[in-house]
Amino acid sequence: MEFSTKNRQLLSRIATNDRHGENSPYFDGWKAYDSNPFHLIHNPDGVIQMGLAENPLCFDLIEKWIRENPDASICTAEGLDKFKDIAIYQDYHGLREFREAVAKFMGRVGGNRVTFDPNRIVMSGGATGANETVIFCLADPGDAFLVPSPYYAGFARDLRWRTGVEIVPVHCKSSNNFRITRAALEEAYEKAERSNINIKGVIITNPSNPLGTVLDKETLRSLVSFVTDKNIHLVSDEIYAATVFSSPRFISVAEVMQDMDCNRDLIHIVYSLSKDMGFPGFRVGIVYSFNDDVTNCARKMSSFGLVSSQTQFLLASMLSDDEFVGNFLRESSKRLAKRHHVFTKGLEEVGISTIKSNAGLFFWMDMRPLLKEQTTKAETELWRVIINEVKLNVSPGSSFQCSEPGWFRVCFANMDDKTVEVALDRIREFVLQGKEENNHEADKSQARAQRWRKQNLRLSFSSSRLYDESLMSPHLISPHSPLVRART
Amino acid sequence: MAIEIEQPRVGLSKVAVSKTHGEDSPYFAGWKAYDENPYHETSNQSGVIQMGLAENQVSFDLLEKYLEEHSEASSWGKGAPGFRENALFQDYHGLKSFRQAMANFMEQIRGGRAKFDPDRIVLTAGATAANELLTFILADPGDALLIPTPYYPGFDRDLRWRTGVNIVPIHCDSSNNFQITPEAMEAAYQSAESMNLKVRGILITNPSNPLGATIQRSALEQILDFAVNKNIHLVSDEIYSGSTFSSSEFISIAEILETRGYKDAERVHIVYSLSKDLGLPGFRVGTIYSYNDQVVTTARRMSSFTLISSQTQHLLACMLSNKEFSENYIKTNRERLSKRYDMIIKGLKKAGIECLKGNAGLFCWMNLSPLLEKPTRESELALWKVILNEVKLNISPGSSCHCSEPGWFRVCFANMSEQTLEIALERIHKFMEQRKRN
C-alpha cells in the first residue's frame, strides 16, 4: 500500500534522529553478507558472517533435553494442564520458579561464590531492554555515563536513544591490554565535569565485548571504590559470564562487593541468556540491582518488556535441572575453548596476533601491521578489503569506539567447523599474499602503496556495487541479527 | 546534641522518583484487598471476588483442544530440529509466518471488511509496550495526547511515564452515552493550547475500555476528520476488537480508511494484542499496525527493546494460521462473551441496577450514581470502599478511569466461572435489598 508522503506527518525528535544507530557505515558489512551469504555447498565464494556474536555450539544438548522433558512445554500433552495458568500469568514479578532458576544459574556461572536473591531478579526485553531500563532508572536526559572503550556498538542506541542520556568513552589502550585504569576513569570524570557534563555512572561489560577478556579482582575493586568515592552508579553487563572457557575465571562484581566497603545502592548487574545459552530469540533479559528503589522501579518498567510466560516456564524447568546445567556449562566451555584455539593458532601461523582472551564468542584481532597508516581511514579501507576481497564480515575497531586503529572483532562461534576452515584459509591466503608481494619488490613501502592503490581502485569499482540501491533493501537490515531472511 | 550529617542520597532519575507509574491509584488498591483475601469456590467462599481484572477466561478450552490436536505447535518439529533456528531468531521483523497469521486474524475479526499487510505489522511485548512505543515516536516530552474519558487507567503510566508526554482528557458523559463529540474534542484541544501543550495526537480505544461499547461509524468519521483538520495523529487501540458480542457491530478505523481510499491514512496507527481476545496476557503479544512507512520503520527499530519471544511467535503462528481454528474461535468466543454479558446485565437489573448499553469487551459499565450521597468523587470512593469491604467485590471506580461523572463502575465478568458470577450477582442483590430497607 502506497500512501502520499507529501503531507508528511511530523514525528518526534526521537523518531527522526540518528540515535537508533542504523545509519552507521558498519552495516555495509552486513549488507555485503546479506546480498552474498556464504554457503558451504551452494555459495562457497560468499561472504562468511563473522560479525555476529552468537553461540549455537551446544544446541544438541538443549534439543536432547527438550525431547526428554516434554512437560517443560505448556503445549504438549504432558504440560497442557498448566497452559491456562501460565497463559494468564502477566505479573511483572515473574514466575517464582523462573526467578529462582535464573538466580541459581547466575550463581553457578559465577562459580557459586555468590548467592543471587530471586527477589531481586527483574525481567526485561533482552539485555537490550535491561540496559535501557537501568538507564531510565538512574539518569535524566542530558546526563552521561562513562563507558570504557572499546565497547559494544549497540550501546549507542540502547543507552542513549530513548533515554536522552550520553556516553563518555574512557579510552583504553593496547599498551596495557586495554585494562581499565583508575587514572583513566579519573581523567575522564574530571574532564566531563569541567565541561559541565553530569556523570551518573560507569558501565562495564564483563567479560568484555569486543575484547573477550575478563576483569580481574583488582580492576573490579578499583571500579567499585571509584563509584563509591564519586557517589555514582556502576552497571556491570555480565551477559558473557558463562562463555569463559579457560582461566582466569569469571568474577562478578557481586563477588567483589562481598568483601568491600562500598555503597551497595550503586551497584547493578545486567544479565541475559542470549549469549550464555544461545537463546537470543527468547528475549530473556535480567536487571539485578542491589538498590531496592531501582529494583522496584525497574520491575514496574518491566511491564514494557516482560518475558513471555511460556518462555519463563520452559526455562524455569530447564535451568532447575542441575545435572543438565552442569553438563551444559562444562561442554559449552570446552567447545568454545576448542574453537578459539583453532582460530588463534591458525592466525598465529601467519603472524596475526590477537589479544590474549579466555571468554566471549569472538577474538580481538590485531591488524595494525597491515595498515598503510595508523588512522581510522586506513582501518576502514582495510575493512572494506576484508569484506569485498577476502569476503569475511568482521567488525572494525572503530565501530566499538576503539581509539587505536587496526583492531578487528572476529566472531568464531556462529559457524560450523568446515566454515571455520574456509575462513582461516581465506585469512591465511590474504596475509600471505600481502607478504609475497612485499618480497618481490625492492621497496616494501612502495609495494604496499602500490598494492593499496590497486586495491583502492578495485575497491571503488566494487564499492559502487555495494552502494547499488537495489542491494540495499533497508528491510533486510537488523543490527543484531543478519538472520534477516525470516526463514519460516 | 548529636549533629546529623546527611548521607549523600544516591541519585535516581526523575522518572524513577515520579509517581507517574500510577500504582498508588485505587484501581490497584482493590487488587491488594483481593490478594489478601481472594475468593475461592470451595476453600474461601467469603473472600473478595475479583471483578477488576479484564481477563478473558471463557474460551481456554478451545485453545487447549487445538494444542491437543496439533503437536507441531508445541514442539519445533519431531526431535526438535527447528529449535535451534527458532532460539536464534531475534530479527526485529518477527517471524514472517507469525506476522502473516496476525494479519489474517485481524482481517477475520473484522469480517474481511479491512485488509492488513503483514509488512506493516510491528511486534512488541504486549499492547503496553506498543502504546508507549508509539508515544515515543509521535510526540516529544511535554507534548500532549487527547484521550476520551473514561479511559483505561494503565494509560497514565503507559503513555506518560517514561515518555514525558501529557494526557489531556476529552470529556464524555452519560447524556449521550459517553460518545465522543466534535465539541468535546475541540474543547480538549483548546484546553491543551491554553496550557501551552502541543497536541500531537488523539488516542481512542475501540471497543472502549471501560465502557464495553464500540464507537459508532459517524463518530469514527468525525474523529478522523478532527485529526486531519488539526494535522495530528490518530491511534486506535483495538485490543478488544475480537471481543465484540456480534460480528457486525464493530467498525475498525481500518474500514473507514478503506472507504476513503486511504486518504490521510499516514496519520493513523492501530494497536492490537492477543491478551484479551485470546486470553493470553502472559505471552506478551502486542502489535502496531501503521499506515505510515516512517512510523513502521522506526517502530520496528524501537521494538528491539521489547520483542516477542520467538518461541511464542512460533506457537501462535501455527495456531492462528489454522483457519478452521481461528474462525471457530472468534465465533465461539463472541457467543460466550455475549452470554456472559446477558447474564450479568439481567442479574444487575434484577437488583435494580442499570448499565450502559454495551456490545463488546470483558466488562460492563455500571451506573451506581443513584446510590451516591453526593455526586462527588469522594462519595464514589466511599461507595467503592463499602462494596470492596462489605460486599467483597473488587470493582473499578469510574474516577480511576478519569470519568468526569461520579458513580460509574467497571465490572468485569469474563475472568471467572459462571458459578462465581452467580455468587457475585447474589451479593450485589443482597446489598441492594439491604440499602432499600435502610
Side-chain angles (χ1 to χ4, degrees):
Chain A
M1 295 174 186
E2 289 299 319
F3 299 104
S4 149
T5 47
K6 235 186 344 162
N7 193 17
R8 211 95 206 247
Q9 274 309 283
L10 283 171
L11 301 188
S12 67
R13 288 188 290 270
I14 287 176
T16 47
N17 69 27
D18 257 356
R19 287 159 84 108
H20 49 73
E22 290 189 22
N23 293 340
S24 135
Y26 307 116
F27 287 102
D28 291 348
W30 281 354
K31 289 170 198 168
Y33 168 79
D34 283 339
S35 52
N36 185 20
F38 172 84
H39 189 279
L40 199 63
I41 300 164
H42 305 308
N43 189 18
D45 293 324
V47 176
I48 298 179
Q49 175 63 277
M50 303 191 87
L52 187 56
E54 270 179 2
N55 183 10
L57 296 181
C58 289
F59 273 121
D60 56 323
L61 302 178
I62 297 173
E63 282 160 8
K64 179 168 180 287
W65 188 91
I66 288 187
R67 278 194 305 273
E68 294 172 358
N69 292 274
D71 57 347
S73 163
I74 53 176
C75 307
T76 56
E78 293 84 345
L80 196 53
D81 60 322
K82 296 188 210 64
F83 180 83
K84 180 174 151 156
D85 286 340
I86 298 297
I88 298 183
Y89 188 85
Q90 59 172 328
D91 181 346
Y92 62 25
H93 287 82
L95 288 175
R96 189 182 40 86
E97 313 81 70
F98 172 71
R99 284 182 285 117
E100 284 172 354
V102 171
K104 198 158 59 143
F105 186 75
M106 286 171 72
R108 282 189 84 154
V109 165
N112 283 326
R113 283 175 172 81
V114 185
T115 311
F116 288 94
D117 177 1
N119 294 324
R120 287 195 178 282
I121 299 273
V122 171
M123 298 179 287
S124 60
T128 300
N131 278 312
E132 191 199 41
T133 293
V134 169
I135 301 297
F136 265 125
C137 290
L138 304 181
D140 295 316
D143 289 340
F145 273 78
L146 297 177
V147 187
S149 78
Y151 60 78
Y152 166 53
F155 276 163
R157 174 196 64 183
D158 300 348
L159 308 178
R160 302 183 323 149
W161 192 17
R162 304 192 303 180
T163 61
V165 166
E166 298 299 335
I167 293 176
V168 172
V170 180
H171 292 297
C172 302
K173 312 240 182 280
S174 63
S175 50
N176 67 342
N177 285 319
F178 296 96
R179 283 186 77 179
I180 305 164
T181 65
R182 180 75 182 240
L185 289 167
E186 293 280 2
E187 195 194 318
Y189 183 85
E190 304 300 321
K191 185 156 176 249
E193 294 286 300
R194 277 198 306 272
S195 325
N196 274 322
I197 297 173
N198 187 24
I199 300 288
K200 288 309 288 280
V202 183
I203 301 187
I204 56 173
T205 306
N206 175 33
S208 161
N209 173 13
L211 302 176
T213 53
V214 295
L215 293 182
D216 57 42
K217 223 175 207 167
E218 220 183 285
T219 306
L220 283 165
R221 290 175 70 92
S222 160
L223 280 157
V224 172
S225 82
F226 174 74
V227 299
T228 302
D229 283 350
K230 304 281 189 261
N231 198 33
I232 59 178
H233 295 278
L234 176 61
V235 181
S236 180
D237 185 339
E238 302 186 344
I239 194 181
Y240 289 98
T243 64
V244 174
F245 50 79
S246 64
S247 67
R249 66 175 181 87
F250 167 69
I251 302 171
S252 168
V253 69
E255 184 184 331
V256 148
M257 281 166 70
Q258 282 173 157
D259 4 80
M260 268 188 86
D261 219 351
C262 65
N263 185 350
R264 297 169 67 85
D265 278 346
L266 298 173
I267 317 288
H268 324 276
I269 294 174
V270 162
Y271 188 59
S272 162
L273 297 180
S274 298
K275 310 295 179 183
D276 288 351
M277 296 292 296
F279 293 158
F282 290 177
R283 315 313 303 146
V284 182
I286 304 289
V287 173
Y288 189 98
S289 173
F290 292 92
N291 180 321
D292 292 346
D293 290 335
V294 173
T295 301
N296 289 328
C297 183
R299 191 182 285 127
K300 294 183 168 88
M301 285 186 184
S302 69
S303 298
F304 298 112
L306 295 171
V307 176
S308 167
S309 54
Q310 176 195 21
T311 302
Q312 289 184 49
F313 186 78
L314 169 70
L315 296 175
S317 185
M318 196 187 284
L319 299 183
S320 309
D321 186 335
D322 290 334
E323 202 187 312
F324 166 77
V325 169
N327 185 44
F328 178 90
L329 291 175
R330 271 189 305 272
E331 265 308 304
S332 180
S333 287
K334 251 203 279 186
R335 297 178 190 184
L336 285 171
K338 181 160 172 242
R339 194 46 88 76
H340 180 264
H341 177 75
V342 163
F343 258 111
T344 46
K345 191 149 175 292
L347 292 174
E348 235 175 71
E349 283 165 8
V350 291
I352 297 215
S353 67
T354 62
I355 276 277
K356 184 157 159 37
S357 65
N358 64 324
L361 308 172
F362 32 70
F363 50 82
W364 192 236
M365 185 168 71
D366 187 359
M367 301 288 260
R368 290 175 300 170
L370 273 72
L371 291 189
K372 69 173 188 227
E373 54 187 25
Q374 301 301 313
T375 61
T376 307
K377 188 163 176 289
E379 176 189 283
T380 306
E381 284 171 4
L382 174 57
W383 174 59
R384 291 200 189 282
V385 168
I386 296 175
I387 293 186
N388 297 327
E389 307 298 330
V390 192
K391 300 237 183 53
L392 301 175
N393 179 30
V394 297
S395 310
S398 48
S399 65
F400 299 92
Q401 303 299 315
C402 186
S403 56
E404 274 175 38
W407 293 89
F408 289 80
R409 188 193 77 171
V410 184
C411 298
F412 59 71
N414 62 309
M415 60 192 72
D416 58 40
D417 291 330
K418 292 211 169 72
T419 309
V420 172
E421 284 306 324
V422 176
L424 272 173
D425 280 341
R426 289 185 187 180
I427 296 175
R428 276 193 278 255
E429 211 184 287
F430 171 66
V431 175
L432 293 175
Q433 202 175 51
K435 289 206 173 120
E436 228 177 63
E437 288 178 7
N438 285 345
N439 289 339
H440 285 137
E441 294 285 337
D443 186 5
K444 281 191 182 169
S445 64
Q446 199 184 49
R448 194 171 272 158
Q450 263 194 14
R451 179 162 54 88
W452 284 114
R453 272 197 296 275
K454 254 198 328 200
Q455 282 169 336
N456 283 345
L457 279 176
R458 278 187 297 178
L459 176 63
S460 57
F461 183 78
S462 51
S463 69
S464 73
R465 184 171 67 85
L466 251 194
Y467 288 103
D468 180 355
E469 283 304 306
S470 65
L471 292 177
M472 272 177 38
S473 30
H475 74 268
L476 285 184
I477 306 308
S478 160
H480 299 290
S481 175
L483 276 171
V484 292
R485 272 185 253 282
R487 278 180 294 263
T488 32
Chain B
M1 192 164 73
I3 300 170
E4 281 203 349
I5 299 169
E6 202 176 274
Q7 292 303 315
R9 283 299 314 278
V10 164
L12 300 188
S13 64
K14 295 197 181 84
V15 162
V17 301
S18 84
K19 295 283 181 200
T20 319
H21 52 70
E23 289 193 16
D24 304 330
S25 121
Y27 182 68
F28 298 103
W31 285 2
K32 290 180 197 144
Y34 167 78
D35 285 337
E36 286 158 14
N37 183 20
Y39 172 84
H40 190 274
E41 278 176 8
T42 43
S43 56
N44 189 18
Q45 292 172 345
S46 59
V48 175
I49 298 179
Q50 174 64 286
M51 304 190 87
L53 188 56
E55 259 177 23
N56 181 3
Q57 296 188 26
V58 307
S59 302
F60 269 118
D61 58 315
L62 301 178
L63 300 171
E64 286 158 355
K65 180 161 178 288
Y66 170 84
L67 292 171
E68 268 165 358
E69 297 170 0
H70 295 90
S71 59
E72 79 277 10
S74 64
S75 62
W76 289 272
K78 212 161 184 293
F83 176 85
R84 181 195 146 116
E85 202 173 317
N86 185 247
L88 288 174
F89 187 84
Q90 59 172 329
D91 180 356
Y92 60 27
H93 289 81
L95 285 179
K96 178 135 197 182
S97 58
F98 178 56
R99 279 185 287 119
Q100 187 67 62
M102 282 297 278
N104 292 342
F105 192 64
M106 288 169 74
E107 284 174 5
Q108 281 179 300
I109 284 175
R110 291 157 182 74
R113 296 183 298 272
K115 287 236 136 323
F116 290 97
D117 175 0
D119 290 337
R120 289 194 173 280
I121 288 185
V122 175
L123 303 176
T124 63
T128 299
N131 280 315
E132 189 199 41
L133 202 147
L134 267 179
T135 305
F136 269 120
I137 291 177
L138 305 180
D140 291 310
D143 289 343
L145 292 176
L146 304 182
I147 309 202
T149 67
Y151 62 77
Y152 163 56
F155 279 160
D156 289 331
R157 173 196 63 184
D158 300 349
L159 308 176
R160 302 183 319 153
W161 191 20
R162 304 191 305 180
T163 60
V165 170
N166 299 291
I167 293 176
V168 173
I170 299 170
H171 292 293
C172 304
D173 57 62
S174 60
S175 62
N176 69 340
N177 292 319
F178 295 94
Q179 287 180 77
I180 304 158
T181 66
E183 296 74 32
M185 287 190 281
E186 184 63 43
Y189 190 89
Q190 295 304 327
S191 170
E193 297 242 290
S194 70
M195 294 188 276
N196 272 322
L197 300 176
K198 185 166 180 217
V199 176
R200 301 303 288 270
I202 170 171
L203 188 148
I204 58 176
T205 306
N206 178 30
S208 160
N209 172 12
L211 301 177
T214 57
I215 300 181
Q216 296 182 2
R217 180 182 293 275
S218 52
L220 286 171
E221 302 269 9
Q222 286 169 336
I223 293 167
L224 181 54
D225 289 338
F226 179 81
V228 171
N229 289 336
K230 302 293 189 200
N231 195 21
I232 60 178
H233 293 275
L234 169 55
V235 178
S236 182
D237 185 340
E238 302 188 351
I239 195 179
Y240 292 99
S241 49
S243 302
T244 53
F245 306 152
S246 94
S247 65
S248 56
E249 287 182 41
F250 168 64
I251 297 160
S252 166
I253 195 70
E255 294 172 55
I256 307 286
L257 288 174
E258 200 145 308
T259 54
R260 290 190 184 195
Y262 294 101
K263 183 168 179 292
D264 303 312
E266 75 271 16
R267 66 183 69 251
V268 179
H269 324 279
I270 297 175
V271 167
Y272 186 55
S273 160
L274 298 181
S275 298
K276 310 297 178 181
D277 291 347
L278 279 186
L280 305 173
F283 287 3
R284 314 315 301 144
V285 181
T287 67
I288 294 171
Y289 189 92
S290 176
Y291 296 91
N292 181 313
D293 293 349
Q294 200 184 355
V295 171
V296 171
T297 301
T298 307
R300 196 181 280 136
R301 288 179 176 148
M302 237 182 233
S303 69
S304 299
F305 297 110
T306 183
L307 297 173
I308 301 178
S309 167
S310 53
Q311 178 195 19
T312 301
Q313 289 188 50
H314 169 81
L315 164 67
L316 295 171
C318 291
M319 201 188 271
L320 296 181
S321 307
N322 186 316
K323 267 238 157 78
E324 197 190 314
F325 165 78
S326 57
E327 273 173 11
N328 179 49
Y329 182 92
I330 292 170
K331 179 166 161 290
T332 310
N333 185 50
R334 271 199 191 117
E335 284 164 9
R336 292 180 183 179
L337 289 176
S338 182
K339 188 165 166 237
R340 276 294 171 100
Y341 175 78
D342 286 340
M343 187 179 153
I344 195 174
I345 294 300
K346 221 178 261 164
L348 290 175
K349 202 160 198 174
K350 243 176 54 182
I353 297 176
E354 294 293 326
C355 295
L356 181 76
K357 186 153 174 10
N359 62 349
L362 310 174
F363 33 71
C364 60
W365 189 235
M366 183 170 76
N367 184 8
L368 294 183
S369 55
L371 274 70
L372 294 188
E373 277 203 30
K374 284 187 258 184
T376 63
R377 185 169 173 270
E378 289 70 30
S379 281
E380 176 189 284
L381 287 177
L383 176 59
W384 170 68
K385 282 207 178 86
V386 166
I387 296 175
L388 181 61
N389 297 321
E390 295 176 20
V391 192
K392 298 237 176 40
L393 301 175
N394 178 33
I395 60 180
S396 310
S399 48
S400 68
C401 303
H402 300 277
C403 187
S404 46
E405 241 178 75
W408 291 83
F409 292 79
R410 187 191 78 170
V411 186
C412 298
F413 56 70
N415 61 311
M416 62 192 73
S417 67
E418 274 189 25
Q419 292 89 324
T420 307
L421 184 54
E422 286 292 359
I423 308 269
L425 288 168
E426 273 167 35
R427 289 186 188 180
I428 294 175
H429 202 256
K430 247 192 229 135
F431 169 70
M432 292 299 283
E433 292 286 293
Q434 249 174 352
R435 280 191 82 109
K436 255 195 270 175
R437 274 182 255 129
N438 292 351

